[in-house]
Amino acid sequence: PGENSAWMGAGNRLIDLSPELERHGLAFRNLGDINVQSLAGSVSTATHGTGKTLKCLAAELTGFEFVTGDGKITRITDDENPEWLEAAKVSLGTFGVMVRAQMNMVPTYNLHRKSYPLPIEELLAQAPGLWEKHRNFEFFYIPFSGYGTVITHDETDAEVQERELTDDDAGLAALRS
């Protein structure tokens, strides 16, 4: 834990934590597409993003507090009960209810998102190269269509711009649900 770590309520939803962290100049290093789950749920189930070199959210956990079945509050950090830290990261709640978490953070950054359809054969042939080239790469197969939708994200210094929602966004939301 260093200057870019933060303690936060583990019951908070990722969608609410990200803007709050941004107000402090901090961000999660990597998140998945779905941001409505709680931090505790995300960490406990090894929720991940799509970057080749980016670890799952649980890898950023440096400490947490949980309430055991008998009501005892226990803290696990590098300094307190460190022998349990790695085992407790993806524990599916077996240690108790996580109430606070300390996470490694990074300075805020911007991503440029690009999505486009490709024939599935072409998409699969390009996938290894896309994974190498982009910070984040993923795709969704569109059943019975012969197509998939490619989604890439890359860090950028460009100014933030509001992105207009498109029909593609509605389609991707349906595929994710």
Side-chain angles (χ1 to χ4, degrees), residues 7-12 38-46 57-58 61-69 72-76 85 87-103:
W7 279 96
M8 56 198 79
N12 286 308
S38 69
L39 177 61
S42 303
V43 169
S44 297
T45 59
L57 196 55
L61 184 70
T62 57
F64 68 93
E65 293 175 349
F66 62 93
V67 178
T68 62
K72 180 182 171 191
I73 296 176
T74 301
R75 179 181 277 215
I76 297 177
L85 186 57
K89 284 185 177 182
V90 185
S91 61
L92 303 173
T94 57
F95 279 71
V97 176
M98 187 184 302
V99 292
R100 287 182 12 113
Q102 183 181 42
M103 303 292 294

Side-chain angles (χ1 to χ4, degrees), residues 9 15-16 26 33 38-39 78 105 112 125 129 132 134 145 148 172:
I15 194 171
D16 299 323
L26 299 172
D33 285 335
S38 69
L39 177 61
D78 287 333
M105 309 308 300
H112 176 74
E132 291 291 331
H134 298 284
S145 71
L172 288 171

